[in-house]
Amino acid sequence: MKKCLIVVALISLLSGLRAQSDSTQASSINQVDTIYEDEGFSATNRNPIYTFGSPFCEHFAELKFFLGTADMGMGINYTYLPEVWGGHVSGDIGFDSKWLLAGADYRLSKPWDLSDFHVYGGLGFRYGDNNKVAFPTDDENLCMRPAMEVGVRWASDDGLGRFCMTSGTIGILTDFVNTYVTIGFSSSLALLASVFLLLGFAN
């Protein structure tokens, strides 16, 4: 009888230790799960284009028009945007002004987006009449002013190599005296017109 009581006591003791061990292990697992659940994970702010590459075009050229209360005219814009950051130069000719600007472009789109969106901004100068009236003829009032342009671009993924064939821009152009709205577009016809405009601007 004594031997039976000793065996029962040992079995009870071993069962209790095993249950305690299982409880401790489960508690430890729950604590680990809680730690991982509480720790937040966030996506990086770095554009995935740097990791996966850019499926979009790199070269953009638009024929531009600008319109305001003091002047109106047209011009061209060329942009090189290999990944996320790029640059552009633009030139415009109005009835009473000439503009030359350069600046930076930033791509908003991710590699899996169907369309390509950019924002851009540039600084430069405007050469023209000092008066605020449109189409003045007094050459004595000619002067040079600082100029700034900001805008957005939409571009399709179709292109000739890395040169985009279809894109459009809308922006604001100012010489800090007058403000103008700019609209630009690119297509096979616009590219041809840009070449002729460049030849005329060079003369």
Side-chain angles (χ1 to χ4, degrees):
M1 188 71 178
K2 269 187 179 182
K3 290 182 180 180
C4 288
L5 289 175
I6 291 173
V7 170
V8 170
L10 286 175
I11 291 174
S12 299
L13 181 62
L14 289 175
S15 298
L17 288 175
R18 183 175 178 183
Q20 185 177 2
S21 175
D22 291 343
S23 175
T24 303
Q25 185 176 0
S27 176
S28 300
I29 292 174
N30 290 335
Q31 288 178 1
V32 171
D33 290 341
T34 303
I35 291 173
Y36 281 109
E37 286 176 4
D38 291 342
E39 186 174 350
F41 294 94
S42 60
T44 176
N45 291 329
R46 185 178 172 88
N47 193 308
I49 283 178
Y50 289 121
T51 304
F52 300 104
S54 173
F56 305 112
C57 295
E58 296 180 357
H59 303 274
F60 305 85
E62 286 101 13
L63 183 64
K64 288 173 50 185
F65 298 92
F66 71 91
L67 174 65
T69 57
D71 200 4
M72 65 179 70
M74 61 189 303
I76 57 171
N77 177 76
Y78 167 73
T79 298
Y80 176 61
L81 187 56
E83 290 183 317
V84 177
W85 285 98
H88 74 272
V89 292
S90 65
D92 304 279
I93 301 176
F95 285 97
D96 185 52
S97 60
K98 293 182 179 178
W99 306 72
L100 184 62
L101 301 99
D105 292 60
Y106 179 76
R107 175 170 276 132
L108 300 171
S109 300
K110 304 297 188 291
W112 45 81
D113 291 335
L114 299 178
S115 295
D116 196 10
F117 289 95
H118 315 158
V119 292
Y120 64 87
L123 296 173
F125 64 88
R126 167 198 178 271
Y127 180 76
D129 196 280
N130 193 29
N131 295 329
K132 295 183 180 181
V133 297
F135 320 130
T137 58
D138 186 3
D139 290 340
E140 294 180 358
N141 290 325
L142 290 177
C143 70
M144 188 177 295
R145 292 185 179 277
M148 181 178 70
E149 182 180 15
V150 294
V152 295
R153 174 185 293 107
W154 168 87
S156 68
D157 58 357
D158 66 322
L160 183 60
R162 302 297 284 176
F163 199 98
C164 183
M165 298 297 291
T166 307
S167 64
T169 63
I170 184 168
I172 297 295
L173 177 67
T174 181
D175 62 356
F176 303 98
V177 174
N178 297 295
T179 301
Y180 308 86
V181 175
T182 66
I183 297 175
F185 64 91
S186 174
S187 67
S188 55
L189 293 177
L191 292 176
L192 183 60
S194 299
V195 172
F196 285 111
L197 186 65
L198 270 176
L199 295 175
F201 188 75
N203 294 333

